[in-house]
Amino acid sequence: MGTKYIFVTGGVVSSVGKGITTAAIGRLLKSRGFSVVIQKLDPYLNVDPGTMSPYQHGEVFVTADGAETDLDLGHYERFLDQDLTGLSSVTAGQIYQAVIARERRGDYLGRTIQAVPHVTNEIKERIRAVGRAAGAQIVVVEVGGTVGDIEGQPFLEAIRQMRNEEGRDDTLSIHVTLLPYLSTTGELKTKPTQHSVRELRSLGIQPDVIVCRSDLPVGEDLREKISLFCDVPRRAVVPLLTMPTIYEVPLVLEEAGLGDYIGERLGLPQAQRDLRDWQEWVERLKQPQGEVEVAVVGKYVELPDAYLSVKEALIHAGVAHHVAVRLRWVHSQDLEHHSPDSLLEGVDGIVVPGGFGERGVEGKIAAARHARQRGVPYLGLCLGMQVMVMEYARHVLGWEGAHSTEFDPETPYPVICLMEEQLGVTEKGGTMRLGSYPCQLRPGTVARQVYGTDLVMERHRHRYEFNNRYRDQLERAGLICSGTSPDGELVEVCEVQGHPFMVGSQFHPEFRSRPGRPHPLFLGLIGAALERRRQRAALSTATTPLLP
């Protein structure tokens, strides 16, 4: 069969759950044996989210090929259980940059450059290209933003054109909307959905399916009403109640019949669906046999989406150990003004994720010291590994002022320094060490034990690195470099000798964690945290002497 295209748009409000819905649709199709790829179209003018503040856009998800992308690509990879590439992330900035570059080269032969056809042609080519590159039978495309946003109009126009060019039997439009609840009348309202669909139709796109997000059950009378006023079959009005976990969404949509309807509407070959593994995993998630509490110490904790992949990776590891992972969000700046003993009291594990800029760094160093002195399992990610090194240098080796040159260019002990390849780099966007690189693990270390293999590939996003000038002294003092680049030049993993679990990685393991396939480092952390909780329960009156 030829390539099929599914376009997912959103209406009424932003953050309606369009990304999760898109990822869930991909899972439904993959469970039927079809090859699927998902693409996100973001209407903002940034070339990519790499230079955007996490407060603006949540985490930056890095693909294996080094693209800095929207956090929704993390959902896509986790639900599909497959790696995506930079082709799955398209922004208006990329589109306009490409069109203007062609104009400057003279590729348009003196023609007037317009939104239609030149911008829309570029968008359509990006959509078709991701399908060709992946060899996918079905391409699912999510359009960021909300129908009616002025910046999204070229993308919707490109979709309208593609539906004519590819044929109605090979394309499907799904519109995700919100049914708000009015407490004064005690009912869900459909009028915003009707207006959103009217806006979409005014742009030439008639939705084939309407997914209705709500916090309360959607009755048959409301489905009939939406069907009537929005001109879609009642079967294609799909209720999507807010669920306790996002991982239930594929199961809810399957039960509502969406997978079968998509198959019929696109003329897909009949295939036996198989969501048993997913169903079993969700049941384990919902029925834990215990609990551990993990502190996430970061500078953006007011917006948990800034650490979305970290949160999901902890959930995946918890399910593997049959425990719920309760998160304690701790602002790293608070640790600069308050005792770690009070803010981190009673936690079973600590994660210090990545970040940029000096704000809150001393608080992260305090968290690393607390974990080392008290034997609390610790996982440092990127900057989290670097602060672990700084802390060890300061308080074990006694190197007062040991720091990273990112924060203190005049430090007497630059244990973290700018990578040689970054010298002379002045532009910010897309210039870091990005994407997957190999890491050789050292036999007999905790890292080698949890991975169970000698060589791994992990995703990076950083400019600064462990300074090899201090490597021998730190190792003699007990900070082991347990993972390096295959040539031994770049330190990728550090761990504290004799600690139950104190591991830091220069890379971002959270990007590779999946439901049913948790990342080994997170699995090791939760295993150590669970053991600590058991020991504390058995020896609740015991005290541990402080280390230096």
Side-chain angles (χ1 to χ4, degrees):
M1 69 179 194
T3 305
K4 309 285 186 177
Y5 297 91
I6 299 174
F7 301 106
V8 183
T9 55
V12 182
V13 294
S14 59
S15 302
V16 74
K18 187 160 36 60
I20 298 296
T21 303
T22 302
I25 290 168
R27 185 72 199 189
L28 297 187
L29 294 167
K30 191 169 182 180
S31 75
R32 287 163 165 77
F34 298 109
S35 59
V36 181
V37 70
I38 307 180
Q39 183 180 61
K40 176 74 180 289
L41 305 178
D42 274 308
Y44 49 72
L45 290 177
N46 303 68
V47 174
D48 59 47
T51 57
M52 295 171 69
S53 165
Y55 290 124
Q56 291 278 316
H57 214 253
E59 80 169 3
V60 175
F61 186 85
V62 179
T63 58
D65 63 345
E68 296 176 288
T69 72
D70 183 80
L71 59 79
D72 277 327
L73 266 78
H75 289 312
Y76 304 161
E77 286 204 356
R78 288 186 284 270
F79 277 61
L80 289 178
D81 192 16
Q82 69 187 47
D83 290 349
L84 301 177
T85 69
L87 293 175
S88 285
S89 179
V90 177
T91 70
Q94 293 173 17
I95 298 297
Y96 293 129
Q97 187 180 59
V99 170
I100 291 170
R102 286 183 178 180
E103 186 274 333
R104 291 290 84 185
R105 290 196 304 267
D107 293 358
Y108 295 116
L109 301 176
R111 290 192 291 269
T112 301
I113 312 307
Q114 298 176 293
V116 180
H118 303 99
V119 171
T120 52
N121 283 351
E122 182 68 25
I123 294 168
K124 290 185 293 184
E125 173 53 31
R126 299 289 181 107
I127 295 171
R128 292 180 172 118
V130 72
R132 288 196 302 268
Q137 296 170 295
I138 304 170
V139 179
V140 185
V141 181
E142 177 193 351
V143 183
T146 306
V147 169
D149 295 343
I150 190 168
E151 61 266 29
Q153 290 184 6
F155 292 95
L156 295 175
E157 170 60 20
I159 288 171
R160 183 196 68 77
Q161 294 175 20
M162 278 196 71
R163 297 200 74 191
N164 283 328
E165 294 166 5
E166 298 293 334
R168 298 289 170 169
D169 293 337
D170 290 330
T171 62
L172 187 79
S173 171
I174 298 177
H175 193 51
V176 184
T177 73
L178 176 70
L179 300 184
Y181 174 74
L182 286 187
S183 58
T184 52
T185 60
E187 60 183 350
L188 296 170
K189 306 302 291 185
T190 66
K191 192 62 70 176
T193 293
Q194 295 176 42
H195 282 292
S196 181
V197 171
R198 182 183 300 171
E199 178 74 21
L200 190 61
R201 291 169 73 177
S202 74
L203 298 170
I205 300 172
Q206 166 64 44
D208 302 296
V209 175
I210 299 175
V211 175
C212 301
R213 286 277 295 104
S214 70
D215 292 329
L216 295 172
V218 179
E220 289 301 312
D221 57 334
L222 290 183
R223 293 181 68 191
E224 290 281 3
K225 186 175 182 180
I226 293 169
S227 171
L228 174 65
F229 284 95
C230 298
D231 196 24
V232 297
R234 189 188 62 80
R235 228 185 119 196
V237 179
V238 180
L240 182 53
L241 193 66
T242 301
M243 306 306 297
T245 167
I246 59 173
Y247 297 106
E248 284 192 79
V249 173
L251 304 176
V252 171
L253 294 180
E254 183 62 54
E255 187 178 350
L258 180 58
D260 290 339
Y261 184 81
I262 290 173
E264 293 170 18
R265 176 62 181 73
L266 290 176
L268 300 175
Q270 287 192 350
Q272 187 69 32
R273 59 181 178 271
D274 186 2
L275 284 168
R276 286 173 297 179
D277 289 346
W278 191 271
Q279 174 88 53
E280 291 170 2
W281 187 86
V282 171
E283 288 304 315
R284 291 199 302 274
L285 170 65
K286 293 166 63 177
Q287 299 176 18
Q289 298 173 13
E291 178 184 86
V292 294
E293 184 177 17
V294 175
V296 178
V297 180
K299 61 190 288 187
Y300 311 115
V301 293
E302 305 95 325
L303 183 70
D305 273 1
Y307 305 112
L308 182 61
S309 290
V310 173
K311 182 183 76 170
E312 300 305 323
L314 287 167
I315 291 172
H316 304 160
V319 173
H321 283 288
H322 304 283
V323 295
V325 179
R326 184 156 49 93
L327 299 182
R328 184 188 300 185
W329 299 98
V330 179
H331 202 295
S332 54
Q333 281 185 293
D334 290 343
L335 288 168
E336 297 176 355
H337 307 292
H338 303 283
S339 168
D341 290 341
S342 60
L343 295 177
L344 299 173
E345 182 183 3
V347 299
D348 305 302
I350 297 171
V351 175
V352 177
F356 298 93
E358 187 176 4
R359 181 172 64 88
V361 166
E362 291 300 326
K364 293 184 177 185
I365 292 174
R369 187 181 191 187
H370 177 89
R372 180 181 59 79
Q373 290 180 321
R374 287 160 178 75
V376 181
Y378 174 99
L379 180 59
L381 312 173
C382 197
L383 179 58
M385 183 205 85
Q386 295 176 3
V387 299
M388 186 177 114
V389 175
M390 298 175 216
E391 188 281 323
Y392 206 88
R394 290 182 187 184
H395 300 117
V396 176
L397 283 141
W399 296 346
E400 185 177 348
H403 223 312
S404 166
T405 56
E406 179 182 3
F407 313 122
D408 181 6
E410 304 303 322
T411 173
Y413 298 100
V415 291
I416 303 297
C417 62
L418 189 66
M419 299 182 70
E420 187 174 346
E421 66 193 52
Q422 290 289 316
L423 296 173
V425 174
T426 56
E427 292 192 1
K428 299 295 184 185
T431 56
M432 287 184 279
R433 188 178 189 227
L434 293 165
S436 283
Y437 290 87
C439 172
Q440 185 77 40
L441 298 171
R442 187 165 165 179
T445 60
V446 172
R448 173 62 180 79
Q449 179 184 351
V450 297
Y451 271 104
T453 188
D454 294 324
L455 187 68
V456 296
M457 296 291 293
E458 294 287 0
R459 303 183 192 183
H460 295 67
R461 185 176 183 248
H462 64 102
R463 298 183 193 279
Y464 291 80
E465 65 173 344
F466 186 106
N467 191 340
N468 282 326
R469 192 198 318 173
Y470 302 99
R471 185 163 161 184
D472 288 343
Q473 292 166 278
L474 286 164
E475 288 216 288
R476 285 196 298 270
L479 185 68
I480 306 303
C481 298
S482 51
T484 65
S485 56
D487 62 7
E489 289 300 310
L490 297 177
V491 174
E492 297 278 15
V493 186
C494 288
E495 60 187 62
V496 174
Q497 195 171 41
H499 192 283
F501 188 94
M502 191 162 190
V503 179
S505 67
Q506 185 58 78
F507 46 78
H508 289 269
E510 66 270 25
F511 294 147
R512 291 186 53 242
S513 185
R514 309 278 169 80
R517 200 153 56 88
H519 192 280
L521 290 181
F522 283 90
L523 202 58
L525 173 74
I526 297 302
L530 186 57
E531 181 60 28
R532 175 177 172 80
R533 170 160 284 217
R534 289 170 179 156
Q535 291 177 359
R536 289 171 63 211
L539 304 169
S540 58
T541 59
T543 58
T544 303
L546 285 182
L547 297 172

